[in-house]
């Protein structure tokens, strides 16, 4: 089938060469959201070296292959009809890969046993467009994610037709089981950014008293509003003990002091986050 190549520049060497198809559906071309997310990965905001990464709705594989050039062990997934294109692009760029990359069939809503245990990262670029695919996609996200999994979802905000309603419904359903944090535009790649393309950092909601380990979180915070009011989030830190979650200072921020003043055991209420480990 006739194709055409899109080059994606890299900071650390030769560009990715991504073959596209003139026909074959939405998965056969490199969309702008894929470029934005791929270049965001290059900023180093999330450590990828030796991490397990899975891309959903990979299409041409642009985002997943970029992650593999940054040292990640990547599985790019999409429907059966896109496997040949994925394999072509993996082969064309294998000399740039410093981790590993493979292509696998994954249909949203179906069994994900072969993709367990949960990966460190799940990458999604422009996967929100068909209303009928929302619930299968959400099921797959729930089935794939563990307490440590960081989901990076990049999408172009569209204003035509049913797109605004589909986006609203998706994020409404997503927030039942997940926490969402929009990554500010100034954290995107300086060149590959746009006001209407958003990146959202997604994690499973807390279900255990002692918290979770987040693969790419860098902000420590306590869920108790009384504690949060006194001690704001501590950015760019790795919390190594419960008291780190309530501030970086000495004695006044130690949990034993808070137990006396707030009448509760902070050890049982703080989210303990180990960033980048």
């Amino acid at each position: 089938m006739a194709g055409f190549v899109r080059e994606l520049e890299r900071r650390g060497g030769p560009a990715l060469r991504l073959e596209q198809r003139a026909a074959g559906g939405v998965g056969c071309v490199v969309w702008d959201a894929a470029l934005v997310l791929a270049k965001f990965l290059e900023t180093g905001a999330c450590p990828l070296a030796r991490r397990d990464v899975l891309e959903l709705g990979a299409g041409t594989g642009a985002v997943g292959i970029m992650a593999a050039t940054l040292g990640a062990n990547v599985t790019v997934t999409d429907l059966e009809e896109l496997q040949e294109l994925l394999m072509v692009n993996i082969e064309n760029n294998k000399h740039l890969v410093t981790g590993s990359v493979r292509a696998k069939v994954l249909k949203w809503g179906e069994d994900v046993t072969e993709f367990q245990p949960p990966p460190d990262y799940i990458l999604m670029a422009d996967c929100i467009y068909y209303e009928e695919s929302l619930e299968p996609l959400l099921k797959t996200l729930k089935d794939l994610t563990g307490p440590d999994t960081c989901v990076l979802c990049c999408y172009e905000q569209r204003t035509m037709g049913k797109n605004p309603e589909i986006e609203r419904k998706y994020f409404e359903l997503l927030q039942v089981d997940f926490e969402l944090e929009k990554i500010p535009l100034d954290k995107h790649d300086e060149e590959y950014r746009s006001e209407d393309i958003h990146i959202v950092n997604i994690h499973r909601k807390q279900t255990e008293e002692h918290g979770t380990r987040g693969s790419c979180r860098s902000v420590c915070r306590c869920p108790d509003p009384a504690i949060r009011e006194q001690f704001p989030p501590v950015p760019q830190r790795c919390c190594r003990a419960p008291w780190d979650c309530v501030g970086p200072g000495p004695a006044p921020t130690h949990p034993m002091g808070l137990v006396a003043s707030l009448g509760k055991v902070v050890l049982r209420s703080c989210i303990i986050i180990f960033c980048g480990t």
Side-chain angles (χ1 to χ4, degrees), residues 22-228:
V26 295
C28 294
V29 296
V30 181
W31 293 91
D32 289 347
L35 299 176
V36 169
L37 183 54
K39 294 298 289 184
F40 171 75
L41 297 180
E42 275 201 308
T43 67
C46 296
L48 291 174
R50 299 180 299 279
R51 301 302 174 88
D52 292 326
V53 173
L54 186 143
E55 183 181 5
L56 292 176
T60 63
V63 180
I65 295 172
M66 178 66 87
T69 71
L70 297 169
N73 297 314
V74 181
T75 302
V76 289
T77 69
D78 214 311
L79 300 174
E80 179 66 48
E81 53 264 34
L82 286 160
Q83 296 301 301
E84 185 269 337
L85 180 58
L86 284 169
M87 292 301 296
V88 166
N89 284 330
I90 289 172
E91 179 66 23
N92 289 347
N93 295 282
K94 65 181 182 180
H95 60 293
L96 304 176
V97 170
T98 58
S100 65
V101 59
R102 61 175 183 164
K104 300 281 287 184
V105 174
L106 196 165
K107 186 175 181 180
W108 299 342
E110 296 190 353
D111 183 70
V112 297
T113 302
E114 68 172 303
F115 300 100
Q116 298 294 338
D120 297 303
Y121 293 93
I122 293 175
L123 307 175
M124 302 166 53
D126 253 350
C127 289
I128 313 166
Y129 42 82
Y130 295 136
E131 186 171 9
E132 58 269 25
S133 71
L134 294 186
E135 291 192 10
L137 174 56
L138 288 165
K139 180 183 186 304
T140 294
L141 279 176
K142 288 170 65 176
D143 291 345
L144 284 173
T145 51
D148 301 350
T149 305
C150 170
V151 182
L152 293 174
C153 173
C154 185
Y155 70 100
E156 181 174 351
Q157 189 171 10
R158 296 177 171 90
T159 58
M160 300 295 290
K162 297 182 67 178
N163 284 300
E165 175 60 22
I166 292 172
E167 288 173 13
R168 184 200 64 76
K169 182 178 180 181
Y170 170 73
F171 286 108
E172 184 179 275
L173 292 172
L174 190 65
Q175 289 179 79
V176 173
D177 296 289
F178 294 89
E179 295 178 346
L180 283 62
E181 178 186 4
K182 184 177 176 182
I183 295 174
L185 189 64
D186 62 7
K187 300 298 183 183
H188 297 199
D189 180 86
E190 291 183 359
E191 182 179 352
Y192 288 81
R193 64 171 65 169
S194 174
E195 293 283 352
D196 59 354
I197 296 179
H198 310 285
I199 303 176
V200 182
N201 185 347
I202 301 168
H203 288 266
R204 291 296 294 263
K205 284 186 174 179
Q206 277 301 111
T207 56
E208 297 180 1
E209 287 182 325
H210 296 291
T212 183
R213 298 172 64 246
S215 298
C216 70
R217 284 186 175 179
S218 59
V219 175
C220 306
R221 60 194 180 93
C222 180
D224 187 280
I227 299 173
R228 271 206 313 270

